[in-house]
Amino acid sequence: MADGTRSEAPGGESAARTESFIDALHNLLQELPGLVSDRVELFALELGRAGSALARIVAWVVAIAILGVTAWLALWAGVVIALVGLGLHWTLALLPVLLINLVAVVLALKRVQYLVTRLSLPATRRHLTLSPRATSPPDSAPNPHDDGHAPGS
């Protein structure tokens, strides 16, 4: 009988553990919708606050841009008035203003063109795309001078 009791005890504990695990899993599954809905509600509330903050930020940026452009125009008007006051004809006084602004536009455009290349996520694409070496037959030796990029890029 002692042997029979010992053999039943582990089986009984196993059944109790299984029932306890199933109960715990059942309780977790019952609480899961509440846990998820709380997090979704928090996310929705924070998303609303973030959207409101973004709208205010855009409004402030527009106001700042208007004030900045106004100050920029006043600065250049003062420069032109000063040059005209020094005896330059008004068309010659406008020429340095025009040239300086055109150089600034060209520099800004070059910077924007450079930044546009980052929009395509080049490093991520390189890491997520299979390289030609990975798809080449195993008996072909890799070229040590090949860096995996197309020439000229």
Side-chain angles (χ1 to χ4, degrees), residues 60-120:
W60 278 108
V61 166
V62 168
I64 291 166
I66 291 170
L67 294 171
V69 167
T70 304
W72 184 255
L73 291 174
L75 169 75
W76 285 118
V79 168
V80 169
I81 290 170
L83 291 174
V84 169
L86 291 174
L88 242 77
H89 191 267
W90 66 270
T91 54
L92 289 176
L94 285 175
L95 190 60
V97 172
L98 177 67
L99 291 176
I100 289 171
N101 280 291
L102 284 177
V103 168
V105 166
V106 168
L107 293 173
L109 283 173
K110 287 184 185 262
R111 184 65 182 165
V112 167
Q113 284 176 336
Y114 168 73
L115 292 173
V116 164
T117 62
R118 293 186 176 190
L119 292 177
S120 65

Side-chain angles (χ1 to χ4, degrees), residues 6-18:
R6 285 185 188 163
S7 64
E8 288 179 15
E13 288 177 12
S14 175
R17 273 192 218 146
T18 303

Side-chain angles (χ1 to χ4, degrees), residues 20-54:
S20 174
F21 175 74
I22 291 173
D23 289 342
L25 184 61
H26 183 27
N27 289 339
L28 177 67
L29 289 176
Q30 284 180 337
E31 291 181 19
L32 191 60
L35 294 172
V36 171
S37 68
D38 288 347
R39 283 168 175 74
V40 168
E41 185 175 345
L42 177 63
F43 176 69
L45 290 172
E46 283 191 318
L47 199 56
R49 277 183 74 188
S52 175
L54 180 61

